[in-house]
């Protein structure tokens, strides 16, 4: 291990990993901290960056409450090295708080001092692990893009899989071309962990056309839960403890995966610098920007929307104004109609309060929406019998035989069950009984 450690120390850039998740509560921070501590315990130089701008709690899980974070570095109150916390086994932690978001958003000339310090700092480590914010926030997207490997933490909770799929879909639409790794947390065992991963990968292959990588799993146990309450991670326990040992196994699987990937030539600091120097949207010619600097496009959009809302509020009968505003927004969306535009329209329609409409208004709206759907895709219009034109005109493609292991269990169990069934049972009854959905509950 000494030779490999020396080789890694001679590299100009560390191996970078982003621990992320589609939703909160999946144990993302616990995984990031225990993984970092385990790597540090094995003799690696590890830097853990707490980039969760909503719940920056890496230090809290260690019983530490830092007085300075990356936000203080951004304001020039201290140097980057001054905020580093050293934990057990020599693990270095950078408390992020809102400083991470500021670093992504600030202008190039303002961030240059911090980015130079970060670029020099990260070269001192073998691994830089980032605990990102959960969900679809812009900062989290940037942290995933900056790392050479993204580790998506999921749980058996169906909502976790749904949110994880949404995160993957957004990454793909924004140009992410690397293969995300998946870690199943809080699993009851290896069989359940594999089943959870297969459900997510099946959806990714079917709807996004991509494959995922199975990094491993962390079992649900009382020791791990109690370690969070006691603010003492399981990675600090005796190496023979099962909860500690599983993170050593996870580190081995991580290194196997990283050896399959070429090291990136630029680190996190270089990525942030590219983002901060990206061309901004030009300011409107009629704007009142006296300083000549380009405004933030997001802030400008919010300002304009707030202005429209104020105009509508100040007019008692704003029906015509609302009509003009709504048509104007849809005309803008139609300029570059694509998958993102469709998702924006779907989200906007779903946010409307349909409960405020009476029964007659709902029926009237439903009629118009059905008419619109028939214009968008004429073949989707259904006749009175309920069968679509596409179903009547296009021959149905034969589905390939597929064995659903999640529903019916292992094939040996299926064969055994077939032998035990009476000869007069129907196929439909047999399949329902195997899947556990027959009426008798067997």
């Amino acid at each position: 291990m000494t030779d490999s450690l020396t080789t890694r120390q001679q590299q100009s850039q560390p191996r970078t990993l982003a621990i992320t998740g589609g939703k909160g509560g999946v144990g993302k921070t616990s995984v990031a901290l225990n993984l970092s501590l385990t790597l540090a315990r094995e003799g690696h130089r590890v830097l853990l960056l707490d980039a969760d701008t909503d719940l920056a709690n890496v230090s809290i899980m260690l019983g530490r409450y830092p007085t300075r974070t990356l936000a203080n570095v951004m304001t020039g109150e201290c140097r980057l090295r001054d905020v580093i916390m050293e934990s057990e086994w020599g693990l270095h932690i950078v408390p992020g708080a809102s400083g991470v978001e500021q670093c992504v958003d600030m202008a190039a000339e303002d961030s240059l001092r911090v980015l130079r310090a970060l670029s020099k700092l990260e070269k001192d480590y073998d691994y830089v692990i980032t605990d990102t914010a959960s969900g679809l926030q812009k900062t989290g997207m940037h942290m995933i893009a900056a790392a050479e490997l993204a580790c998506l933490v999921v749980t058996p909770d169906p909502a976790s899989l749904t949110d994880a799929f949404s995160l993957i879909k957004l990454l793909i639409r924004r140009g992410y071309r690397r293969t995300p790794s998946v870690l199943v947390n809080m699993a009851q065992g290896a069989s359940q962990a594999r089943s959870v991963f297969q459900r997510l990968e099946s959806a990714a292959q079917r709807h996004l056309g991509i494959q995922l990588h199975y990094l491993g799993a962390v079992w649900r146990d009382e020791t791990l839960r109690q370690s969070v309450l006691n603010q003492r991670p399981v990675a600090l326990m005796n190496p023979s403890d099962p909860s500690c040992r599983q993170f050593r196994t996870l580190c081995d699987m991580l290194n196997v995966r990283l050896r399959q990937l070429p090291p990136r030539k630029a680190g996190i600091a270089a990525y942030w610098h590219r983002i901060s120097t990206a061309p901004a949207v030009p300011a409107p010619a009629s704007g009142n920007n006296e300083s000549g600097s380009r405004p933030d496009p997001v802030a400008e959009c919010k300002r304009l929307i707030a202005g429209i809302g104020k105009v509508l509020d100040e007019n008692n009968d704003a029906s015509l104004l609302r009509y003009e505003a709504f048509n104007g927004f849809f005309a803008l969306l139609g300029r570059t109609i694509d998958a993102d535009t469709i998702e924006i329209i779907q989200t906007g329609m779903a946010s409307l309060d349909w409960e405020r409409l009476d029964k007659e208004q709902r029926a009237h709206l439903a009629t118009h929406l059905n008419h619109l759907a028939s214009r968008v895709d004429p073949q989707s219009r259904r006749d009175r019998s309920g069968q679509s034109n596409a179903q009547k005109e296009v021959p149905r493609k034969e589905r390939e035989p597929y064995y659903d292991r999640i529903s019916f269990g292992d094939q040996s169990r299926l064969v055994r069950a077939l032998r035990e069934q009476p000869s007069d049972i129907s196929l439909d009854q047999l399949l329902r009984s195997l899947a556990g959905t027959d009426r008798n509950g067997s």
Side-chain angles (χ1 to χ4, degrees):
M1 186 173 71
T2 305
D3 294 339
S4 61
L5 179 60
T6 302
T7 302
R8 280 192 294 270
Q9 289 175 341
Q10 292 174 348
Q11 293 177 350
S12 59
Q13 296 295 339
R15 307 312 299 259
T16 54
L17 173 68
I19 307 292
T20 188
K23 67 185 294 290
V26 297
K28 172 180 57 64
T29 299
S30 176
V31 168
L33 179 57
N34 281 290
L35 184 63
S36 300
L37 283 169
T38 303
L39 287 170
R41 191 174 194 170
E42 294 178 352
H44 302 286
R45 302 169 301 171
V46 184
L47 177 67
L48 175 57
L49 176 61
D50 189 355
D52 191 340
T53 55
D54 290 333
L55 299 171
N57 54 8
V58 167
S59 56
I60 296 176
M61 295 189 72
L62 286 166
R64 309 279 189 89
Y65 300 90
T67 57
R68 292 182 295 189
T69 68
L70 188 59
N72 299 104
V73 180
M74 308 307 298
T75 58
E77 300 174 31
C78 59
R79 299 178 303 168
L80 181 59
R81 291 186 179 274
D82 295 335
V83 304
I84 293 179
M85 292 172 39
E86 183 168 349
S87 181
E88 287 82 355
W89 316 116
L91 171 65
H92 286 181
I93 301 173
V94 175
S98 61
V100 177
E101 190 169 6
Q102 294 176 28
C103 193
V104 172
D105 291 336
M106 68 192 313
E109 57 272 15
D110 298 328
S111 64
L112 187 58
R113 170 182 55 84
V114 179
L115 294 178
R116 281 176 176 171
L118 179 60
S119 178
K120 184 177 180 181
L121 179 67
E122 63 182 352
K123 293 180 180 179
D124 294 338
Y125 298 93
D126 305 312
Y127 296 88
V128 174
I129 298 179
T130 304
D131 178 27
T132 77
S134 298
L136 311 180
Q137 300 180 20
K138 179 185 67 173
T139 304
M141 296 292 105
H142 282 312
M143 302 314 299
I144 294 172
E148 60 183 309
L149 178 63
C151 175
L152 186 62
V153 181
V154 300
T155 69
D157 179 11
S160 169
L161 296 180
T162 301
D163 292 333
F165 177 80
S166 297
L167 175 59
I168 296 172
K169 180 174 67 173
L170 183 59
L171 286 171
I172 297 302
R173 287 184 176 178
R174 294 192 176 185
Y176 191 81
R177 293 294 177 262
R178 296 187 290 278
T179 301
S181 291
V182 177
L183 171 68
V184 181
N185 194 23
M186 307 180 191
Q188 296 291 352
S191 177
Q192 186 190 45
R194 275 289 182 180
S195 175
V196 169
F197 170 74
Q198 288 171 358
R199 286 163 59 190
L200 180 60
E201 186 185 40
S202 176
Q205 289 181 348
R206 187 183 311 115
H207 300 290
L208 304 177
I210 66 168
Q211 289 185 326
L212 305 177
H213 170 255
Y214 181 65
L215 185 62
V218 177
W219 316 134
R220 179 192 295 273
D221 62 16
E222 180 61 25
T223 303
L224 190 58
R225 189 188 72 84
Q226 195 64 36
S227 70
V228 176
L229 300 177
N230 295 336
Q231 297 177 302
R232 183 170 177 79
V234 295
L236 301 178
M237 301 175 66
N238 190 297
S240 62
D241 185 274
S243 299
C244 178
R245 192 166 59 243
Q246 62 182 339
F247 281 99
R248 296 179 61 187
T249 302
L250 182 60
C251 286
D252 293 339
M253 299 180 71
L254 173 64
N255 285 322
V256 169
R257 179 58 178 164
L258 288 175
R259 282 195 293 269
Q260 299 172 348
L261 305 175
R264 302 190 72 179
K265 297 181 180 180
I268 295 176
Y271 174 85
W272 281 359
H273 183 66
R274 288 200 308 272
I275 294 299
S276 63
T277 55
V281 177
S286 59
N288 297 323
N289 192 358
E290 298 178 356
S291 63
S293 60
R294 294 174 176 176
D296 177 21
V298 176
E300 184 69 6
C301 282
K302 291 181 178 179
R303 184 187 68 80
L304 293 173
I305 292 173
I308 293 175
K310 184 179 179 181
V311 171
L312 295 177
D313 291 339
E314 292 175 349
N315 290 268
N316 295 329
D317 186 10
S319 299
L320 182 59
L321 291 175
R322 282 185 293 160
Y323 183 85
E324 293 291 341
F326 206 74
N327 277 346
F329 275 118
F330 269 80
L332 290 174
L333 288 173
R335 290 183 182 179
T336 55
I337 190 165
D338 53 13
D340 288 331
T341 304
I342 296 174
E343 189 166 340
I344 292 171
I345 296 174
Q346 290 174 338
T347 304
M349 296 288 286
S351 66
L352 297 178
D353 187 6
W354 305 114
E355 299 298 327
R356 300 180 63 180
L357 297 177
D358 57 36
K359 185 177 181 179
E360 183 179 353
Q361 290 174 326
R362 292 189 191 185
H364 182 68
L365 177 62
T367 300
H368 282 278
L369 291 178
N370 283 329
H371 177 67
L372 177 61
S374 67
R375 291 183 57 191
V376 175
D377 185 7
Q379 286 190 328
S380 67
R381 180 186 299 175
R382 296 184 176 275
D383 59 19
R384 295 179 181 178
S385 64
Q387 186 179 28
S388 67
N389 293 332
Q391 290 174 325
K392 296 172 64 177
E393 297 172 2
V394 181
R396 184 175 179 180
K397 184 179 179 181
E398 290 294 330
R399 182 181 178 185
E400 295 182 3
Y402 176 73
Y403 173 68
D404 188 357
R405 188 173 65 83
I406 297 176
S407 299
F408 302 117
D410 295 331
Q411 294 189 30
S412 59
R413 173 176 173 267
L414 178 59
V415 173
R416 186 169 60 253
L418 288 171
R419 292 173 178 172
E420 295 173 353
Q421 297 296 328
S423 59
D424 59 345
I425 188 173
S426 69
L427 179 60
D428 185 55
Q429 290 175 322
L430 174 62
L431 293 178
R432 286 206 306 268
S433 65
L434 292 177
T437 59
D438 63 334
R439 294 181 180 178
N440 297 326
S442 60

